[in-house]
Amino acid sequence: MKSKNVYLKPNLVVEPLFDRWYAWSHLISPATAAMNIVNRHLKILKSYIQNPQIHSAAARNPKMRGGPFVDFKGTRVEEARILHDQTIEKQAYQIQFTEAIGQLNKLLKTSAHGYSMDALYEKVPDILRGYVELVYDLNNNPSFRIFEKLLYNSKCYNESSQSIALWITNNDERPFVLSTPRLNEPDVIHVPIPFKHHGIDMLCKMRRSPGNIDDVAEALNIKNENRDLFNTFFTEEEPLTYKRYTGDKIRMRYFGHACILVETKDISILVDPLISYHGYSTDLSRYSEVHLPDKIDYVIITHNHQDHILFETLLSLRHKIGKIVVPRSGNGSIQDPNLKLMFNEIGFRNVVEIGEFDTIGSGNCQITGLPFIGEHSDLDIRTKLCHHVKVGDYTLLFAADSCNVEPKLYEHVSRITGPVDSLFLGMECDGAPLSWLYGPLLTEELPRDMDNSRRLAGSNYERAKAIVDVFKPKELYVYAMGMEPWLEFISSIKYTNESNPIIQSNKLIQECRTNSIVSERLYGEKELFYELELVER
Ligand SMILES: [Fe+2]
C-alpha cells in the first residue's frame, strides 16, 4: 500500500554540491570547474591535510573570515584525504586540462609576437585542440577564446560530480562554502544526481503541493538504508499559503541581499533569487518561500557572482520560473562563462540572454539591460547588467554591485533612460581582492599589492552619489550588502558600525534624506507599494 501524501518541511535544505563542494557557477562551466578543482579544492584540501590545526584556528578567527580555511567541527583529516585522493582520480582529465591551459598560455607568451598564429595550432596541447581559437587584440597581445558549448559536450563536463545534499536546518549557520567541503554527516543524505534531474523539481514542488514519499524516494533513488532519515524530511502539516497580490499597486518585497520581488496583480519579477528557509526560530524576520507566487514570470540575474546566482534557491524554484533573464556573455574567455549555456545544461528552460540596452517584455512590463561597470577586478567580463524594470509608468533600477568608476557612463545612460523612480544600489565598497574569486583561473600568481589593488568592490559614497545625481530617483535603497545571517555562508561578510561600507552608505542615505529622497539601507525584509499607472499598449 502506498504511503499518504505529505509536504516537504520548510527547513529542509536542498544543497547542490560538486565533488562535495558547494556548487556555484564556476563549478559548472567546464573550464572554470577544472581550474577550481585544481587551484582551489585540491590546494585547500592538501593544505588542510598537512596542517589541520592552522585551518581550525584561522576558521575561528574573525579577521580571517572568508579565507581559504577549512571549517570542520573537529579534525577530519582522514576524510579530507579520501576526498582529495578521490578528486585526483575522478578528475584526472580536468587536472590535465588545467595543466594544458597553463601550457597554452606559455606557448602564446613565448611564440606569439604579432605574426600569424596559424603554425601555433599544432603546438596547442592535444586536450585543447579544436576547443580554442588563438587571437590577438589590436595591440598584438595574444590570447585565446574557448568554444564553451563544445567543452560541455566533452569529457571536461563531469556531470557525475554533481549531487544534492538533503538535511534539516534549525538555524542560519553554515561554514563558508568556498573553503569547506561537505563531508558525510549522520543527518545528511547525499543524492548523486545531476542538477537537471527531474526528481529535484518533484521534491521541491512538495514544499507547496503534497506528494507521495515513496514516489519521490524512487525518483531520487534513495537507498533503503536512508529511508528512515528521508521520511523525517516530510510532514503532514499543511504549509502556510502564499496570498496572491490582488491590489492595484506595484508591490516590492525585499527578501535579503540583492533578492527583490516585484509584483502586480498580473506579473511577478524576482531579482537575483536568494531565499531563506523558514520553520525555525530566528531573531531576524524575513520573507521566505511562502511569500513567492506559484509562478514567477521573470527571474532576472544581474551578474555572475556566487551571491547573485544561487543554485540552491534557483533549483528549488526551477519548476515555477517562467523566463530566466541573464546577461549576455562575452567572448569565450575563461573568466566569463556563458550563463545561458550553463543554465540550459543544468535543466533550466526559457533562458533568455539580453545585452546592454536590449529590452524584454512589452507594454506594462519591460526589462532593459543597462551597463554594469567594474566590480570584477578589471577583468574583461561582459556577463553583467543593471536591470531597468518598467512596470506601467513606474521605473526601478537594480544596479547591483556596479562600481561607478567612470561617472560619465551613467550620465550617457541617463540620457537614454531618463530619471528612475526607485534606485537599488549595492555599496559593498571594500570588496575582496581579485584572487579571492578569480585566483584559480590565473596561470601566474599576481604580486600581492597588484592583487589587493584589483578588488570586487561596489560603489563607495562618491561613486554612488554620482549615480543618484544622474538618475534623480525619488527613492534610493542601498541593498546587496551581504548582511543577512542566512547568507553569511556565501558572502562571508560581517559588518560593524565602523565598517567602511556602512560608513559610506550611511553618508549617502543621510545626504539623500537631506535632499528629500526617501532612503534607507535594506536589511532583513521590507515591503513597499508604488502607484501603478498603466501605459497604453
Ligand atoms: Fe558582485
Side-chain angles (χ1 to χ4, degrees):
M1 202 179 77
K2 273 206 165 181
S3 51
K4 55 184 158 185
N5 282 357
V6 288
Y7 298 94
L8 205 58
K9 285 185 179 166
N11 54 343
L12 179 83
V13 178
V14 179
E15 193 178 53
L17 301 176
F18 176 96
D19 275 356
R20 292 296 184 95
W21 292 80
Y22 192 77
W24 60 293
S25 63
H26 280 207
L27 297 184
I28 303 299
S29 178
T32 49
M35 297 179 91
N36 271 280
I37 290 165
V38 176
N39 295 327
R40 189 188 300 274
H41 300 172
L42 287 174
K43 264 190 188 166
I44 292 179
L45 285 170
K46 200 169 165 194
S47 162
Y48 175 75
I49 293 160
Q50 282 165 354
N51 274 308
Q53 287 81 9
I54 288 179
H55 278 256
S56 303
R60 260 144 211 74
N61 183 347
K63 284 188 185 146
M64 306 279 201
R65 194 182 295 279
F69 305 108
V70 177
D71 186 13
F72 291 143
K73 286 190 177 68
T75 307
R76 305 186 67 170
V77 175
E78 208 32 57
E79 291 158 275
R81 196 191 309 277
I82 291 170
L83 180 59
H84 174 270
D85 294 351
Q86 278 173 348
T87 306
I88 288 189
E89 196 182 280
K90 191 172 173 188
Q91 306 288 11
Y93 190 88
Q94 282 66 15
I95 294 168
Q96 215 189 325
F97 180 93
T98 302
E99 283 165 4
I101 294 284
Q103 289 158 10
L104 177 58
N105 277 320
K106 210 179 246 171
L107 174 74
L108 293 177
K109 241 183 191 171
T110 54
S111 309
H113 301 299
Y115 293 94
S116 166
M117 291 199 273
D118 291 2
L120 293 185
Y121 278 91
E122 59 187 32
K123 294 183 181 160
V124 169
D126 244 8
I127 199 168
L128 293 176
R129 286 190 70 176
Y131 294 112
V132 295
E133 179 179 20
L134 310 182
V135 292
Y136 286 114
D137 68 14
L138 291 175
N139 293 311
N140 281 346
N141 297 309
S143 179
F144 62 91
R145 70 177 182 111
I146 51 171
F147 298 102
E148 208 179 337
K149 172 69 188 174
L150 299 180
L151 286 184
Y152 274 110
N153 212 31
S154 76
K155 267 165 56 182
C156 203
Y157 183 52
N158 205 345
E159 217 175 34
S160 69
S161 291
Q162 298 173 9
S163 67
I164 56 165
L166 303 174
W167 46 282
I168 296 281
T169 188
N170 286 308
N171 55 54
D172 294 325
E173 280 157 35
R174 270 189 256 182
F176 178 55
V177 290
L178 292 188
S179 310
T180 305
R182 190 162 286 285
L183 301 176
N184 289 339
E185 303 290 349
D187 56 345
V188 179
I189 298 180
H190 290 274
V191 188
I193 49 171
F195 300 151
K196 68 183 183 198
H197 196 282
H198 70 99
I200 297 175
D201 303 303
M202 198 173 162
L203 180 76
C204 294
K205 277 181 193 167
M206 289 172 70
R207 289 201 192 276
R208 204 164 278 196
S209 316
N212 186 279
I213 300 189
D214 293 335
D215 292 346
V216 72
E218 195 184 323
L220 294 171
N221 204 8
I222 300 295
K223 291 183 189 150
N224 277 342
E225 70 219 49
N226 288 325
R227 266 311 294 270
D228 286 347
L229 176 58
F230 188 72
N231 292 348
T232 66
F233 298 161
F234 300 86
T235 175
E236 288 177 25
E237 200 180 313
E238 279 196 33
L240 298 168
T241 47
Y242 163 75
K243 272 204 202 89
R244 193 162 160 251
Y245 179 64
T246 53
D248 55 5
K249 292 188 173 10
I250 302 164
R251 182 169 75 179
M252 185 291 294
R253 282 179 162 181
Y254 170 73
F255 280 66
H257 196 48
C259 181
I260 288 177
L261 177 66
V262 177
E263 290 169 288
T264 68
K265 62 181 168 41
D266 299 316
I267 56 124
S268 56
I269 301 167
L270 186 65
V271 189
D272 288 347
L274 197 174
I275 310 287
S276 170
Y277 295 100
H278 65 112
Y280 50 94
S281 68
T282 56
D283 297 334
L284 183 60
S285 107
R286 78 268 321 249
Y287 291 120
S288 62
E289 193 275 333
V290 293
H291 300 96
L292 292 174
D294 290 329
K295 181 174 178 250
I296 303 164
D297 296 310
Y298 295 100
V299 158
I300 55 183
I301 302 287
T302 56
H303 66 298
N304 189 6
H305 280 159
Q306 85 288 354
D307 52 330
H308 294 260
I309 298 182
L310 235 89
F311 293 145
E312 183 170 346
T313 294
L314 286 164
L315 288 175
S316 280
L317 303 182
R318 182 170 59 191
H319 63 276
K320 59 161 79 182
I321 296 175
K323 286 191 170 69
I324 175 161
V325 183
V326 301
R328 179 170 299 138
S329 83
N331 44 12
S333 58
I334 286 180
Q335 73 272 12
D336 196 13
N338 183 311
L339 289 183
K340 182 167 192 271
L341 272 179
M342 180 196 76
F343 277 116
N344 284 156
E345 292 292 338
I346 60 170
F348 286 80
R349 300 286 160 255
N350 298 325
V351 185
V352 183
E353 243 184 0
I354 62 169
E356 289 159 359
F357 301 102
D358 285 346
T359 297
I360 182 168
S362 60
N364 285 301
C365 174
Q366 297 181 34
I367 299 158
T368 303
L370 296 182
F372 176 137
I373 190 170
E375 209 252 344
H376 290 63
S377 305
D378 299 330
L379 291 170
D380 183 9
I381 290 173
R382 316 283 174 88
T383 310
K384 49 182 186 175
L385 283 178
C386 301
H387 289 287
H388 180 275
V389 175
K390 192 160 186 242
V391 183
D393 218 13
Y394 200 88
T395 52
L396 306 102
L397 178 58
F398 299 100
D401 298 333
S402 187
C403 183
N404 193 15
V405 285
E406 175 46 274
K408 286 275 173 206
L409 168 69
Y410 288 116
E411 263 182 62
H412 301 320
V413 171
S414 71
R415 281 201 290 276
I416 296 177
T417 62
V420 300
D421 294 309
S422 289
L423 171 63
F424 297 82
L425 182 61
M427 289 186 69
E428 209 291 77
C429 54
D430 282 351
L434 178 151
S435 60
W436 186 74
L437 205 63
Y438 298 106
L441 311 182
L442 301 175
T443 41
E444 274 177 27
E445 212 159 293
L446 277 186
R448 189 180 274 248
D449 59 338
M450 207 181 265
D451 188 25
N452 278 328
S453 79
R454 292 171 59 182
R455 306 189 78 86
L456 293 132
S459 290
N460 59 12
Y461 163 77
E462 231 165 82
R463 290 165 173 167
K465 180 163 184 316
I467 299 183
V468 172
D469 287 347
V470 292
F471 287 113
K472 302 181 176 30
K474 295 180 194 124
E475 303 183 344
L476 174 270
Y477 296 102
V478 175
Y479 80 140
M481 298 293 272
M483 292 166 74
E484 284 82 8
W486 59 90
L487 53 109
E488 231 178 273
F489 74 95
I490 191 86
S491 75
S492 78
I493 286 173
K494 213 165 197 160
Y495 295 125
T496 66
N497 287 340
E498 282 72 49
S499 302
N500 190 35
I502 298 301
I503 293 171
Q504 302 266 331
S505 50
N506 283 348
K507 199 172 159 192
L508 181 71
I509 290 161
Q510 205 43 56
E511 166 98 13
C512 284
R513 287 178 182 168
T514 307
N515 294 323
S516 306
I517 299 170
V518 174
S519 187
E520 73 173 85
R521 188 172 49 239
L522 300 178
Y523 180 59
E525 67 176 26
K526 180 87 183 173
E527 180 180 70
L528 292 166
F529 292 91
Y530 308 117
E531 292 304 321
L532 173 59
E533 306 219 358
L534 296 178
V535 293
E536 299 244 327
R537 280 171 199 271

